[in-house]
């Protein structure tokens, strides 16, 4: 039976020695807590058990293996040298700081890199031992970025997903990594690459473009003839576990215990691993600034500061510990009294019950990382407070801020702003807090950890299906040669070409899709041949096509077939636009509710663009909008196109198929070629004669006979016909 193999640096439980006995305890950290609550998905988990080989004799190793096997965990044993150079070295002194944009902490050393490479191969060997054909191999995080490709080399057809839990850096920082090409190639061994946010997706795709010269179409890239998809999957939490905790007996007991000690004071809480990315010194300084500038709160507020020991072998972390100790000491010394200690500093991990009790009792959660892949603490705080009370103060530089926009968003480098936010939060009326928290709460409930994991593995399945489709309909060299031969054997040829995504690559700014010199040269050469009639069929408006393509002798179709130009522009149908006044207010409402989206008005259609929005939010809104439009289309005789990051509402009678037919029926062509990339081009493919050649750019099912990988390939083909 097909199984899911989760591969991560650490197992969800850690082996430790207590009085010479090996015992096990849960691992702390976002990945372990998150994934361990999705048991249905965890058939086998491969990872390091937390103790180096030197500390274990062979009996103990065997004991660990046996005990872990009961939970389908497979340990990868690492020695002290690996731990120093790979884990404490390359992972935490090179990748961690660089990927968090804190390059001043990063070291670049060949021997650390070599160890990283070696350990990734050790993990590969364990995966090869465990994997059977058809299994899903899901690799996690920055410690194992070479692993996808190392496995791919050995198992070319394996189903591999890779998820990065930390940020991916902008190219301007990533370019400093001496092994950047190896890292990118390593990750691209996966079929699906996931990040928490769309910004990291963009940075990753940008690096691929700059380093490997590979373009993507909406996150799909062809790597060595294989489709790889890159997308964002914002990790959720085990919502039920946190939202049900308020009624748990142990949690209630903890709440009373803490309340007894703190009294009626307001509580500010922060919980993080002691890590320089979490912005702890800045946060403490902001708290100090708050006490100095809002002295009326002295004696009335307690800051519970939980710092979980982390990476204590790395010098930068030890330095941070000293810095935090000093700051806490100074603030308590300067402001504390016999009756009141401003900061309760806990340098250890706490039990789950204590953690949730703290979440529930805290009036403010102060989550101010300098940079954070996601930050689950912020989500857990909101989910635990089922009465929707409490204020979340959140860094704009944490991945989670893209999702929890209703939190009080601050700049972690601005202590004045943070202190002001604390003051506002302590003075905020319950009503405002409740409204904000309720909205966030509902989203966390919807997109929980299970949904996240199912979403990722479901997408991975669909990528495999797309790869299969592509393989059966791939535009091979033989197919290309046959097309070119047929072209040269004919004298009466019709070429029907879509523009965006077919002749030009659509990047993040579609308004900048004007033709480059190469394209104009190719189009001129093809149209100059008098045996050819070349038509561009586009969704763009007349003015744009005119401006961009006036220098070439082309026939044009604008607005998906609403306008046709042989010599002058003509409307294909009498305009019917009465429906616009009903639809426009609806789309405007969606613009208001979906930051980053906008409306484009064309002569015969209205288009809602959502490419700049948070993908998760957009997904929800698209579904709502489509459901709503479905109730209107019959009455108004309109249809809508669910295009690439757009919903276009238009007159039903207008489509590229009708426009294409006008040319197809015009003459007895002995060669017809149609090329397009999105669903609007399917109308064109469906009216072609059987003998026609048709190509879809990109992957996925299509009525076209073949799939081609990219705009580059289309241009090469047209060049061969020129
Ligand atoms: C990485 C990325 C990303 C913490 N202290 C205690 C404790 N925890 C639990 C929290 C939470 C988790 O550990 C911490 O998760 P974060 O997301 O805040 O941070 P990282 O460990 O840095 O995680 C991060 C994450 O991976 C997931 O992809 O969000 O950006 O850096 O679940 O509850 N749990 C208990 N006692 C503690 O003292 N019981």
């Amino acid at each position: 039976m097909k199984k899911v193999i989760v591969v991560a640096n650490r197992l969800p439980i850690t082996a430790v020695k207590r009085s010479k006995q090996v015992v096990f305890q849960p691992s702390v950290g976002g990945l372990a807590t998150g994934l361990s609550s999705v048991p249905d998905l965890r058939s086998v988990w491969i990872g390091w058990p937390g103790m180096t080989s030197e500390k274990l004799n062979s009996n103990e190793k065997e004991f660990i293996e046996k005990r872990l096997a009961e939970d389908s965990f497979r340990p990868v044993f690492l020695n002290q040298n690996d731990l120093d150079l790979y884990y404490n070295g390359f992972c935490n002194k090179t990748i961690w700081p660089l990927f968090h944009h804190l390059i001043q902490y990063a070291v670049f050393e060949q021997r650390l890199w070599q160890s990283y490479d070696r350990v990734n191969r050790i993990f590969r060997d364990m995966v090869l031992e465990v994997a059977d054909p058809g299994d899903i191999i899901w690799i996690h995080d920055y410690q194992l970025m070479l692993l996808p490709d190392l496995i791919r080399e050995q198992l070319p057809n394996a189903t591999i997903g890779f998820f990065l839990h930390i940020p991916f850096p902008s190219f301007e920082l990533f370019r400093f990594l001496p092994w950047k090409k190896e890292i990118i190639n390593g990750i691209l061994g996966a079929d699906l690459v996931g990040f928490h946010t769309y910004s990291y997706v963009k940075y990753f795709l940008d690096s691929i473009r700059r380093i490997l010269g590979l373009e993507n179409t909406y996150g799909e890239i062809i790597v060595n003839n294989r489709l790889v998809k890159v997308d964002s999957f914002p990790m959720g939490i085990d919502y039920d576990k946190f939202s049900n905790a308020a009624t748990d007996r142990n949690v209630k007991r903890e709440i009373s215990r803490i309340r007894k000690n703190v009294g009626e004071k307001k509580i500010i809480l922060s919980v993080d691993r002691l890590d320089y990315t979490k912005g702890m010194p800045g946060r403490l300084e902001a708290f100090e600034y708050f006490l100095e500038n809002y002295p009326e709160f002295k004696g009335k507020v307690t800051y519970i500061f939980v710092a979980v020991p982390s990476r204590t072998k790395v010098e930068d972390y030890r330095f941070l510990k000293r810095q935090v100790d000093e700051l806490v000491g100074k603030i308590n010394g300067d402001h504390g009294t016999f009756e009141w200690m401003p900061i309760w500093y806990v340098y250890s991990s706490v039990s789950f019950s204590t953690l949730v009790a703290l979440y529930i009792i805290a009036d403010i959660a102060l989550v101010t990382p300098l940079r954070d892949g996601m930050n689950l603490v912020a989500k857990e705080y909101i989910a635990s407070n089922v009465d929707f009370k409490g204020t979340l103060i959140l860094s704009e530089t944490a991945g989670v801020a893209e999702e929890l926009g209703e939190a009080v968003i601050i700049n972690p480098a601005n202590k004045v702003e943070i202190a002001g936010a604390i003051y506002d939060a302590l003075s905020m009326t319950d009503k405002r807090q409740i409204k904000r928290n309720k909205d966030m709460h509902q989203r966390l409930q919807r997109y929980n950890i299970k949904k996240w994991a199912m979403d990722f593995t479901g997408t991975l399945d669909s990528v495999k299906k797309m790869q299969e489709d592509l393989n059966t309909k791939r535009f091979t060299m033989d197919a290309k040669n046959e097309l070119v031969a047929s072209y040269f054997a004919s004298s009466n040829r019709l070429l029907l070409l879509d523009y965006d995504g077919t002749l030009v690559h659509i990047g993040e700014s579609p308004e900048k899709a004007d033709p480059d010199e190469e394209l104009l040269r190719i189009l001129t050469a093809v149209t100059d041949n008098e045996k050819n009639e070349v038509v561009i069929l586009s969704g763009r408006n007349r003015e744009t096509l005119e401006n961009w393509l006036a220098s070439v002798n082309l026939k044009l179709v604008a607005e998906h077939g609403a306008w046709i130009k042989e010599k002058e522009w003509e409307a294909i149908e009498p305009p019917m636009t009465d429906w616009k006044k009903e639809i426009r207010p609806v789309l405007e409402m969606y613009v208001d509710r979906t930051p980053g989206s906008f409306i484009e008005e064309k002569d015969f259609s209205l288009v809602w663009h959502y490419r700049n929005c948070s993908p998760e939010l957009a997904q929800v809104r698209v579904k709502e909008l489509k459901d709503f439009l479905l109730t209107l289309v019959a009455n108004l005789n309109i249809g809508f196109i669910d295009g690439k990051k757009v919903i276009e509402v238009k007159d039903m009678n207008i489509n590229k198929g009708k426009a294409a037919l006008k040319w197809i029926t015009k003459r007895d062509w002995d060669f017809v070629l149609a090329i397009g990339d999105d669903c609007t081009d399917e109308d064109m493919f469906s009216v072609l004669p059987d003998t026609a050649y048709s190509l879809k750019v990109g992957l996925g099912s299509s009525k076209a006979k073949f799939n081609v990988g990219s705009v580059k390939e289309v241009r090469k083909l047209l060049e061969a016909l020129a």
Side-chain angles (χ1 to χ4, degrees):
M1 206 184 81
K2 166 169 134 171
K3 56 187 182 301
V4 179
I5 304 173
V6 172
V7 196
N9 176 57
R10 292 294 285 268
L11 287 171
I13 56 177
T14 299
V16 285
K17 258 192 187 170
R18 286 222 183 98
S19 5
K20 297 198 179 155
Q21 278 288 103
V22 176
V23 293
F24 296 89
Q25 62 187 38
S27 312
V28 178
L31 173 59
T33 24
L35 276 177
S36 53
S37 40
V38 197
D40 332 355
L41 263 181
R42 173 177 45 80
S43 305
V44 178
W45 185 314
I46 295 175
W48 180 55
M51 285 181 74
T52 52
S53 301
E54 288 86 347
K55 292 190 182 130
L56 298 164
N57 60 37
S58 56
N59 286 342
E60 287 168 331
K61 271 192 182 168
E62 209 176 296
F63 168 74
I64 290 179
E65 266 166 344
K66 273 209 182 124
R67 164 64 191 85
L68 293 180
E70 288 167 19
D71 285 322
S72 304
F73 298 154
R74 294 288 294 257
V76 173
F77 289 106
L78 302 177
N79 60 33
Q80 192 56 49
N81 195 43
D82 296 330
L83 206 68
D84 292 341
L85 303 179
Y86 148 80
Y87 182 68
N88 290 324
F90 196 76
C91 294
N92 290 332
K93 285 189 190 153
T94 308
I95 296 297
W96 179 267
L98 183 69
F99 278 38
H100 282 89
H101 283 191
L102 294 165
I103 193 167
Q104 67 273 30
Y105 292 100
V107 298
F108 302 104
E109 278 181 36
Q110 190 69 18
R111 67 194 183 111
L112 305 187
W113 160 251
Q114 283 162 347
S115 173
Y116 184 79
D117 181 81
R118 190 175 59 247
V119 172
N120 270 254
R121 285 167 200 273
I122 301 175
F123 273 85
R124 174 205 50 199
D125 295 344
M126 180 55 92
V127 174
L128 295 180
E129 223 176 84
V130 172
D132 292 306
D135 285 350
I136 291 182
I137 304 167
W138 190 3
I139 301 164
H140 290 266
D141 229 358
Y142 64 106
Q143 299 91 349
L144 298 173
M145 291 188 286
L146 299 178
L147 188 56
D149 196 49
L150 287 170
I151 299 173
R152 176 77 52 210
E153 279 170 8
Q154 304 296 320
L155 304 174
N157 298 320
T159 303
I160 307 176
F162 176 82
F163 190 86
L164 189 74
H165 289 259
I166 64 171
F168 194 87
S170 85
F171 179 70
E172 287 311 320
L173 284 157
F174 187 59
R175 71 190 319 164
F176 283 104
L177 187 67
W179 310 277
K180 55 182 175 288
K181 201 166 175 181
E182 287 84 344
I183 294 286
I184 290 274
N185 280 326
I187 295 176
L188 287 177
D191 300 301
L192 174 63
V193 180
F195 298 92
H196 282 305
T197 73
Y198 188 55
S199 312
Y200 310 151
V201 169
K202 280 199 291 195
Y203 287 152
F204 181 64
L205 291 172
D206 184 36
S207 284
I208 292 177
R209 188 182 303 124
R210 306 247 207 145
I211 296 166
L212 302 180
L214 294 178
E215 292 293 348
N216 75 87
T217 311
Y218 293 103
E220 293 168 9
I221 313 159
I222 302 292
V223 183
N224 300 327
N225 283 326
R226 185 172 49 84
L227 166 78
V228 178
K229 190 173 169 65
V230 183
D231 210 343
S232 66
F233 301 85
M235 188 171 174
I237 54 165
D238 186 346
Y239 172 83
D240 290 340
K241 188 168 146 192
F242 287 93
S243 63
N244 292 334
T247 53
D248 181 276
R249 216 156 36 96
N250 294 331
V251 173
K252 282 184 179 163
R253 206 180 44 230
E254 281 301 281
I255 293 179
S256 330
R257 191 176 64 92
I258 300 166
R259 187 48 83 195
K260 212 164 127 203
N261 287 321
V262 179
E264 286 314 304
K265 292 181 199 65
K266 296 275 185 188
I267 298 178
I268 302 175
L269 171 72
S270 65
V271 182
D272 340 61
R273 283 184 306 98
L274 191 85
D275 194 297
Y276 50 75
T277 59
K278 303 285 182 185
M280 291 163 156
R283 191 191 302 159
L284 287 167
E285 281 166 13
F287 180 64
E288 184 178 32
Y289 186 87
F290 166 76
L291 294 177
E292 283 162 359
N293 287 275
Y294 304 94
E296 64 272 30
F297 281 97
K298 282 191 178 191
K300 295 194 182 127
V301 58
T302 298
Y303 181 5
I304 303 182
F305 186 94
V306 182
V308 180
S310 179
R311 303 174 195 168
T312 46
K313 299 274 157 34
V314 180
E315 180 47 38
D316 287 326
Y317 286 72
R318 289 202 220 135
F319 177 75
L320 175 68
K321 167 79 171 50
R322 289 196 293 275
Q323 208 183 352
V324 167
D325 288 351
E326 275 170 27
L327 268 168
V328 172
K330 177 176 178 296
I331 297 168
N332 278 343
D334 287 354
H335 300 276
T337 61
F338 279 122
E339 289 76 34
W340 173 63
M341 185 165 61
I343 303 175
W344 275 23
Y345 178 25
V346 181
Y347 178 62
S348 79
S349 68
V350 295
S351 70
F352 177 74
S353 311
T354 311
L355 179 73
V356 183
L358 287 168
Y359 285 153
I360 292 174
I361 209 168
D363 297 282
I364 296 178
L366 206 46
V367 181
T368 63
L370 297 175
R371 198 144 175 86
D372 214 333
M374 169 57 76
N375 195 294
L376 300 178
V377 167
K379 291 188 169 183
E380 293 166 1
Y381 174 69
I382 294 294
S384 304
N385 283 290
V386 279
D387 58 359
F388 310 124
K389 291 200 175 139
T391 303
L392 173 63
I393 299 183
L394 187 58
S395 270
E396 59 185 274
T397 44
V400 69
E402 288 190 22
E403 265 182 278
L404 301 185
E406 296 88 346
V408 179
I409 305 289
I410 50 87
N411 169 357
N414 186 344
K415 67 178 179 185
V416 180
E417 190 184 20
I418 299 175
I422 295 175
Y423 174 78
D424 286 346
L426 292 175
S427 330
M428 201 188 269
T429 62
D430 274 353
K431 244 188 181 168
R432 261 168 70 195
Q433 291 166 15
I434 287 171
K435 168 83 192 71
R436 286 173 165 179
N437 291 357
K438 212 170 187 173
D439 291 348
M440 295 191 271
H441 212 88
Q442 280 162 357
R443 283 205 302 278
L444 295 176
Q445 187 171 15
R446 261 200 315 266
Y447 201 81
N448 58 24
I449 179 78
K450 268 202 183 126
K451 183 90 187 8
W452 171 77
M454 301 313 278
D455 201 8
F456 186 89
T457 48
T459 308
L460 181 53
D461 270 345
S462 65
V463 173
K464 287 314 265 191
K465 288 204 187 81
M466 278 156 76
Q467 288 176 347
E468 277 164 29
D469 279 359
L470 181 69
N471 282 340
T472 49
K473 286 172 68 175
R474 191 180 286 280
F475 191 52
T476 58
M477 199 39 104
D478 284 350
K480 181 175 173 184
N481 289 342
E482 192 208 299
L483 183 153
V484 173
S486 159
Y487 172 89
F488 282 108
S490 57
S491 50
N492 221 347
R493 311 166 186 138
L494 174 63
L495 276 66
L496 302 167
L497 308 174
D498 167 50
Y499 185 79
D500 289 78
T502 298
L503 298 177
V504 290
H505 173 75
I506 329 169
E508 268 108 44
S509 353
E511 57 285 358
K512 291 195 196 118
D514 51 322
D516 50 86
E517 267 179 35
E518 180 192 70
L519 178 61
L520 290 174
R521 179 177 51 73
I522 294 171
L523 287 176
T524 307
V526 181
T527 47
D528 276 356
N529 187 327
E530 59 191 21
K531 293 177 183 168
N532 296 344
E533 176 123 330
V534 185
V535 189
I536 302 283
L537 298 98
S538 169
R540 299 251 177 200
N541 61 29
R542 288 172 292 165
E543 293 73 25
T544 308
L545 293 181
E546 198 75 61
N547 281 344
W548 286 355
L549 299 165
S551 64
V552 190
N553 181 22
L554 290 159
K555 313 291 176 205
L556 299 173
V557 172
E559 295 195 26
H560 302 299
W563 294 98
I564 284 187
K565 184 186 180 191
E566 283 218 63
K567 291 199 173 67
E568 295 302 324
W569 285 105
E570 288 169 49
I572 200 166
E573 297 278 342
M576 220 259 310
T577 53
D578 284 0
W579 55 270
K580 278 187 175 176
K581 61 179 182 301
E582 311 235 3
I583 297 295
R584 193 180 295 106
V586 176
L587 296 185
E588 277 164 0
M589 185 180 82
Y590 275 82
V591 168
D592 294 342
R593 292 174 56 209
T594 323
S597 71
F598 63 94
I599 299 172
E600 179 192 3
E601 172 141 13
K602 298 187 192 172
D603 291 334
F604 297 101
S605 67
L606 286 173
V607 195
W608 181 63
H609 290 261
Y610 59 88
R611 63 171 49 81
N612 299 328
C613 307
S614 127
E616 200 205 65
L617 180 61
Q619 204 184 352
V620 177
R621 295 286 184 260
V622 166
K623 184 167 178 321
E624 284 171 10
L625 177 58
K626 276 162 60 180
D627 287 348
F628 188 74
L629 288 173
L630 278 172
T631 61
L632 291 179
V633 286
N635 292 339
L636 297 173
N637 199 26
I638 52 170
F640 63 86
I641 299 167
D642 184 2
K644 288 190 173 165
K645 310 281 181 191
V646 296
I647 298 281
E648 176 152 9
V649 187
K650 67 182 186 72
D651 181 344
M652 279 270 266
N653 293 315
I654 293 168
N655 65 56
K656 283 191 187 176
K658 273 200 173 174
L661 262 183
K662 194 172 153 57
W663 264 280
I664 293 167
T665 53
K666 193 170 133 186
R667 227 187 279 169
D668 211 1
W669 307 100
D670 54 4
F671 176 91
V672 177
L673 167 64
I675 316 182
D677 75 313
D678 71 15
C679 59
T680 63
D681 301 311
E682 294 299 314
D683 292 327
M684 165 171 81
F685 295 141
S686 64
V687 298
L688 297 174
D690 288 348
T691 50
Y693 291 90
S694 49
L695 305 181
K696 175 183 165 76
V697 188
L699 307 142
S701 59
S702 165
K703 292 187 187 117
K705 286 186 180 155
F706 298 104
N707 289 78
V708 281
S710 64
V711 168
K712 209 166 165 185
E713 270 186 69
V714 173
R715 289 192 181 189
K716 273 198 187 141
L717 172 69
L718 293 177
E719 214 158 15
L721 306 182

